[in-house]
Structure formats: structure tokens, C-alpha cells
Amino acid sequence: MSRLHVAPFAGLLVLLLAGCATTSTPPRPLVPQGDDCLALFEQVDQRIEAAGVADAGYARIEGYPYLRSDRFSASFASEISDMDTFWEWVGYLRANEDEARDIELRNLGLDRQTASSTLIDLRGCGAWLRSWELDDKAFREHLLSVVTPPHEYSTVARTLGLYPLAKPFLNRGVREYQEEVLAEYAKPLDSLEAKGELVLWKARVSDEYAYETVDLSRKPRDRLGRIGMLGSEVIQMAQYHAPQLWIDTADDYDLPGQPTVGGGTPGVNVRKPVVYYLPGYTRFGGRNLLQISYFVWFDRHQSGDSAEGPLDGVIWRVTFDERGQPLMHDTIHACGCYHFAYPVRDMRRREVPDDRETMLFPQAQVPEGQITVRLKSGTHAVQRVLAADQARAAGGREYELQPYDELLLLPLPEGGTRSLFGPDGLVAGTERGERFWLWPSGVRSAGAMRQWGRHATTFVGQTHFDDPFLFETVLVAPPFEGPALAADPHAAEIPLMR
């Protein structure tokens, strides 16, 4: 190959590498016994990596092995103006690390005593390093600059896939699909095709918790606006607002269940009908609003096209106003695809460029309160959002609610546990044929099932389902009741819903 041909490609590689570069870490502050603690983190990380059990839900922060971030926590980095708020924020990052580390150690297969003592040692080292290292101004400021998790799009794929040239074709495909969805929603409800029996699934209700919503306006908040809620109140909210699932059931692949691991091809155990829930936050209209996401898993996506394959998942999310009433519903499949939004209250749409892909608003009127979600057979596409009492079904069944962390600790046939998701955040074996022709979009393995925090939701632009400002980009927040909720410095005395 001549120099004339090498030079342009070499220049391209330089640009790609430059785009991946990050600010260099300043000299690490001297910490008594700090080297021993850093060595412990490194040793444990090496074992976790070798075993393939690293958790991808929270982002590791290079240079800070005792902290992990997510997009909500990272969104405060440019807003912290005093040390009290800074240390509270660091506590959030520490809690992320502790949660992920506990999952990793349990999946590592250590005996209970070893896992417990290792976790205690790591927590002690994390608290020690945090107190000393982050007292250093340069090290502290560097943390604020690198805390944002990486995006879920491959710059290399977009560059080599000639993304600017592919963009019009990607946009056209998105528009054609969205037009088909709108046409389907324009049909009367009773005209929707049913391939099998319509089965109505409801969450099993526990008498331990009040069957009503929680008035969030009465709850204290910390300096980051996180809500002081008891664990029982989170469960109460999750139980009361869990969607009814009205599923066209033609075969076992339309039955919700518990995902299975360790047996080759991923699937679900339909003898254990489970829906998983995960609390979180969004930032909308200057407020931090509670969200609860529900995860429903099916044995396969049966569509007869390039999206078909083993394991399918639907994520249904409820965003609450300050009184604990649903403000917005939205949904994606567990691949990050098919982002539909259903505002309960009227909200003005923002103008967006014609060449930018956004979530779709397929239904004009959305009922308040508890709802029923109609799902299509095979593809499990959301076809309607109805009031809870509107569904009529030949059969009724119950599903059990479980916390999302159970997906990270699924039982192995030979004993022990393993996460549904790999260290890359994807579910191995769920690759789809569509990944080949959607490669120029930069979405890694488009169509594959993925872990929370790893959902890219658009093929044009860069959008993430867990972006705390996601709604702000397309909607103007409605007026909220009462004054803005101020931070409560005493909220730390109440268990915080992170």
C-alpha cells in the first residue's frame, strides 16, 4: 500500500482515538495505607473480570475504584456549589459501588463468609480513600469532569459506517415504522386482531402494604432532591401502580416469566410468572420526579423478520408527579427499541429538527390512575393503554412483583447465581439479524436485550432511556402544584430512595 493511500486512513484513526481521549488523572493524593487499599480493589477486580461477572449497570470511574456513576447522579456534577452537597453526592456514588460490588461478589461463587468479609474490607477501603483523596481539590475537580457514563453509541461504527450518508435511510425506516404504529392506533380497539386468547395479568397484592399511592409531597428530600422513603413505601408504590397486562396469548412465548441463565439459549421459566420493578428518578420542569420501571420477560420475540430471536422484554415506566400520581407512562423493548410515550396530563411539544428521531406519542387520550396495557402476540408490542376496568379477558392470572436486582442474581442449574446480563451489559444469545443493517447507527448489537442503564433508544442522534433530561428534550413540563420542593438537610435521617 502506498503512502498516498495510508495517510487518509491514518488520519481517520487519529481522529477516532482523539475522540476517545479523556482528561488525564492528576497525581493521586498520598493516603496512609492507601496503596494497600488500591491493591485490594485491583485484586478483586481482576478476579471479577476473569470470572466474567462484572456488573455493567453502573459505570466505573477511571481512577476512582471506590465510586460508580449513573446518568442521574452524573447530572449533578456541574451544579454542585458547596462541600456539603459534594459529600452527599459522593455518598451516592459510593452507594452505587457498594450495590454493584455486592452483586459481583455473590456471583463470583465465594462462600458467604469470604464474600461478606471481602465486601466489608472494600467498603472500609472505599470510605478511607474517599475521605483522604477527595479532600484534595485537584482530585475532586477531576472527578466532577469524568463522572458522566459513556454513551451507548460506537463512534467507530458510525464513522466507518458513513453515518451521515446512512442517516436519511435510517430516518426513513423510522418514519415508516412510526406511521404504521399510528395507523394501528387509529383503529377501534375491538378491531385489533387477536391470534390467541386474551389473558389479563394482574400483580399479586400483598396485604402487608396499603393499597394506595404515597403522597410524595409530604416526603423530605436531601440536597440532591432524592426522596426520603421507607422501603415499604417503595414496594407500596410499585404494587399499586403495577400495570395490568392484557396479552394476546397464542403460545408459550406470550407468557411472562423468570429469565433463565446457564442453560445455553436464554429463555424464561413460564411456571414462575414474574415482573421486576426498579425505582429511579427523572429531572423535569426543575423538579426531580420519582419513576418506577417494570420489566416483563418472554421466551422469544416471534415476528418472522430480522428482529426475531430468543428472549424478549418489555419495559413499562411510570413517572409520578409530586403528589404520587402518574404524570407520564412510557415504554421500550429491552433492546431499547420502540420508544412510545403516553402523557397523562396535557403537555406542549417542543419543536425538534426534522432529521432527529424522538419517542413516539401514539395515543391521544391516556387514562389517569391505574392502567391496563394491551400487548400483541409474538412481538409484544404495546397496542393500547386503557383504564384498569376496560379490559375484558377470557382468563385472568397473577404475576409476582420482584425487585430488579433479582435479575442480577438468577439461579444457575448447578448452584450459585449469575446475572442475566454480561459484563458488556448485553444478554448473550439474543443477537438479532437487524444488527447488520443497523450497524451504521452506532448502536451496539441493535436488537439485543440489554441491562438497565445501557438502552440507546434512537438510531438517529444519541438518546438514552435513563437520561434524566429525556422528557425535557421533547416536552414542556406542566405547571406543578405548590412551591418548588426545597432540599431538606435532615432528609438523610430518613432512608433515601436512590
Side-chain angles (χ1 to χ4, degrees), residues 115-183:
S116 178
S117 63
T118 302
L119 184 61
I120 291 172
D121 289 343
L122 288 170
R123 285 176 174 171
C125 273
W128 182 252
L129 290 169
R130 172 198 64 183
S131 298
W132 280 83
E133 292 192 337
L134 297 181
D135 194 46
D136 181 273
K137 186 173 185 290
F139 212 64
R140 188 166 63 240
E141 290 179 347
H142 180 261
L143 170 63
L144 293 168
S145 71
V146 298
V147 70
T148 302
H151 60 69
E152 293 299 309
Y153 294 83
S154 168
T155 303
V156 173
R158 282 192 164 184
T159 302
L160 299 181
L162 302 177
Y163 171 72
L165 298 180
K167 190 174 174 181
F169 300 97
L170 293 169
N171 255 324
R172 185 173 68 182
V174 170
R175 282 196 301 269
E176 289 175 353
Y177 171 74
Q178 290 185 344
E179 288 169 0
E180 292 174 4
V181 172
L182 293 175

Side-chain angles (χ1 to χ4, degrees), residues 328-406:
M328 161 93 76
H329 304 277
D330 66 327
T331 180
I332 55 171
H333 272 46
C335 56
C337 322
Y338 318 124
H339 190 184
F340 301 168
Y342 306 87
V344 176
R345 289 168 59 180
D346 290 336
M347 291 182 234
R348 183 165 58 85
R349 308 271 180 89
R350 295 186 187 276
E351 292 186 11
V352 297
D354 291 339
D355 64 345
R356 181 179 143 203
E357 181 187 350
T358 67
M359 65 189 80
L360 182 65
F361 298 86
Q363 186 170 324
Q365 300 294 324
V366 179
E368 297 182 359
Q370 297 169 301
I371 51 92
T372 295
V373 181
R374 169 74 178 263
L375 298 181
K376 190 174 183 177
S377 171
T379 67
H380 312 118
V382 176
Q383 294 180 295
R384 288 292 191 281
V385 181
L386 312 166
D389 59 357
Q390 282 187 270
R392 297 291 181 268
R397 298 184 64 179
E398 289 185 330
Y399 62 77
E400 181 183 352
L401 277 175
Q402 289 188 3
Y404 180 82
D405 279 1
E406 294 298 316

Side-chain angles (χ1 to χ4, degrees), residues 146-277:
V146 298
V147 70
T148 302
H151 60 69
E152 293 299 309
Y153 294 83
S154 168
T155 303
V156 173
R158 282 192 164 184
T159 302
L160 299 181
L162 302 177
Y163 171 72
L165 298 180
K167 190 174 174 181
F169 300 97
L170 293 169
N171 255 324
R172 185 173 68 182
V174 170
R175 282 196 301 269
E176 289 175 353
Y177 171 74
Q178 290 185 344
E179 288 169 0
E180 292 174 4
V181 172
L182 293 175
E184 187 76 5
Y185 271 76
K187 296 177 181 178
L189 176 64
D190 56 11
S191 71
L192 294 180
E193 177 187 7
K195 294 182 178 180
E197 181 184 44
L198 290 174
V199 179
L200 185 63
W201 292 83
K202 299 181 180 181
R204 185 174 298 125
V205 176
S206 171
D207 294 334
E208 293 182 45
Y209 311 102
Y211 195 62
E212 60 185 8
T213 197
V214 176
D215 185 354
L216 302 179
S217 66
R218 299 178 179 274
K219 296 296 172 184
R221 298 190 176 230
D222 70 356
R223 291 178 175 85
L224 301 178
R226 295 178 299 165
I227 307 172
M229 292 180 69
L230 300 173
S232 59
E233 291 176 318
V234 176
I235 298 174
Q236 177 182 329
M237 289 284 285
Q239 178 177 273
Y240 184 74
H241 294 282
Q244 294 184 165
L245 304 172
W246 194 22
I247 306 175
D248 179 10
T249 308
D251 209 327
D252 282 356
Y253 52 67
D254 294 320
L255 298 174
Q258 179 192 59
T260 57
V261 293
T265 302
V268 303
N269 181 357
V270 297
R271 294 186 299 277
K272 292 186 176 180
V274 178
V275 171
Y276 301 86
Y277 69 92

